[in-house]
Amino acid sequence: MQIIKRIGVGLVWFAGLAFIFVAANKNDPYLIALRGTGNIVLVVVSVGVLACLIRSGYWRRRGIAGKLLVLLWCLPSLSMLCAQASFELRKRNVLQTDVAQARSLGQHFMVGYSSFPEVAALAEKGLIAGIYITKQNVRRAPETLKSEISALQEKRRAAGLPPLIVAADQEGGIVSHLSPPLTKLPALSTLASLPPDLRTEKAEAFGRTHGRELAALGVNLNLAPVLDLRPDAKRNRFDFNTLIGHRAISDDPTIVADIARSYVHGLEAFGVGATVKHFPGLGRVRADTHHFSAGLDTPLAELEASDWRPFRDVLAGSRAQLMIGHVTLTSVDPDRAASHSRLVVDGIVRKKWNYQGVIMTDDLVMGAIYQNNVCTAAVEALNAGVDLLLVAFDGTQFYRIFACAKEASSQGKLDSVTLRDSEARLKRAFPPD
């Protein structure tokens, strides 16, 4: 019995430390599932355990160890209060940004959201350039979402701001975040085995279906198509989130380019822009950038001749934008991911390819960036010539990332010439009404 009792007390100590860790990190994207009701449960359980310990005499009769255990269980609630206070202060700081700075920096941010009043305030103040629509936004009726988007655009007009970029991930296949209510189309990879004329015809038809339905909702940018070459099945066996083997069109660059270009034209026919992704390519990497850093060590000549051909072909033959992923191109810049590397963005895409369209990052809340100083990455991305920073999975991280950009701007750490060029690209791609 004594051993069982000691094990029980040890578990109470361990649980207390775990509760403190969770409470102190309540705003971390990995703990997003615990927000709201989860936080309330954590506080209630903490207070309940604390009451049980006091009633059991741990404060009065168990000596120093008993008092320490009681104090330990006081900390989860206090840690949560401190974490929330820190978040609210940062949020207030961002919302109080002066108009000129808000609009100057805000044109580079696109955010996911769950609270309409909260995102409406950001849109109205010019703190963001766009919103990212996903599954949680379409749990309501399509008419409700359409009304929300329309209301946000009206607030922008009233504030004298350009229309919001409204983006969605509607690739077809397993990534069809707005289906239902939108039509669930097969993946573009299902067209790869068709004769050339038929596959391009059907690819454009897929794009037209997506374009028509997205435009009807008020969505004007689709984060598709995927241009990564399909990897060997064994190469990405630990890829549990990106699932690029299921999303890639083909392992043949010519087929990928043909299908993707036709799909993009179908989208554009309804005024919906396309975003090709995820340069410099996810097909050859083993790690999943949702959680881990990933390096791409393939020689550049080989990448140019294979993986990058679809990107260059589609960008040259359409008005598509480019999404840069969080893969590190080791032979060019081994110290940072491509998404915030000036050597990659400016050196390869801008100067070598002469691409002067809009470049956006993949979601900055992904582990490859967020766990490796997201503040530094955001500032470096802007200085590299990236035009839009995407904060999608957990939109509340916007306040942290914007605060970092704001501080860098105030300290003169943002390249004014690069930002001026970026502003010109954004105006060309998304002209004011």
Side-chain angles (χ1 to χ4, degrees), residues 289-338:
T289 54
H290 283 85
H291 306 290
F292 310 105
S293 298
L296 179 59
D297 54 8
T298 306
L300 293 187
E302 185 176 346
L303 290 172
E304 289 278 10
S306 55
D307 300 59
W308 294 356
R309 275 178 51 203
F311 289 98
R312 298 192 72 167
D313 289 350
V314 176
L315 291 174
S318 70
R319 299 190 300 275
Q321 300 173 27
L322 176 65
M323 176 182 284
I324 296 203
H326 304 314
V327 171
T328 300
L329 200 55
T330 55
S331 63
V332 177
D333 191 346
D335 299 321
R336 54 186 57 79

Side-chain angles (χ1 to χ4, degrees), residues 246-276:
H246 297 278
R247 297 163 63 194
I249 295 172
S250 170
D251 59 2
D252 184 326
T254 301
I255 293 175
V256 173
D258 287 348
I259 290 176
R261 187 166 46 240
S262 297
Y263 174 80
V264 169
H265 291 160
L267 284 176
E268 291 178 344
F270 289 86
V272 176
T275 307
V276 298

